[in-house]
Amino acid sequence: MTRILVLYFTRGGHTAKIANAIAQQLTLRGAKVDLVDINSAAATRINWPDYQLVALGACVLYGTYDKSVFQFIEQNAPALSALPNSFFCVNVVARNPEKRIPENNKYLQKFIALSPWTPADLKIIAGKVDYPSWPWYDRLMIQLIMKITKGPTDPKAVIDYTDWEDVKVYADHLLTLAEVAELA
């Protein structure tokens, strides 16, 4: 049985929801999946050789990734690189289809430039605007960013831009990567 590790960093819960959807699709396809928030990964004690593939996802806030994402990668770069791997980036700028192309997404390019780990596979997933659930300072800053990028600024807006069918396709892609690696 193919065993896959899905790691993620979430701030407001949406990246966790995406990671869970990936895990569910992989499980439906017959894989065994361990779903781990990177903030609890140290307590989990990952046994990397147990896996045929690792996928790591992180969200973008204010144009960057939480420092814990880079700390986790610095501590685990050799293990991440030793397995077939994929990185999925969750950001609201990807609400525009052209920003779902890795070369066109400055947040993914920033990750690649700053990360000590070079993922073998990349995916960009559109995130969610949820002004009512954000603290006032996040809401104001993101409204400003949205105004500049011609996005929604209504403080009552809750808009999920995630293409959930594409998330399933990505999960299927991960399973294919793991199966190809097993055959090699």
Side-chain angles (χ1 to χ4, degrees), residues 102-160:
E103 297 77 20
N104 296 344
N105 190 292
K106 66 182 177 181
Y107 303 124
L108 180 61
Q109 293 305 313
K110 186 176 186 178
F111 174 84
I112 292 168
L114 296 175
S115 176
W117 166 56
T118 303
D121 183 72
L122 301 168
K123 178 67 175 173
I124 301 167
I125 300 172
K128 179 179 180 180
V129 170
D130 189 356
Y131 288 122
S133 74
W134 294 338
W136 68 268
Y137 49 87
D138 284 345
R139 185 175 56 251
L140 288 176
M141 288 302 296
I142 295 169
Q143 283 175 306
L144 176 62
I145 293 166
M146 285 294 181
K147 185 172 184 169
I148 293 166
T149 63
K150 299 181 179 23
T153 58
D154 179 353
K156 296 177 185 163
V158 177
I159 306 168
D160 185 351

Side-chain angles (χ1 to χ4, degrees), residues 15 37 63 82 96 142 171:
T15 303
D37 181 331
N96 299 316
I142 295 169

Side-chain angles (χ1 to χ4, degrees), residues 27-40:
T27 301
L28 285 173
R29 295 283 310 266
K32 171 140 178 38
V33 182
D34 290 327
L35 183 63
V36 179
D37 181 331
I38 65 167
N39 290 319
S40 64

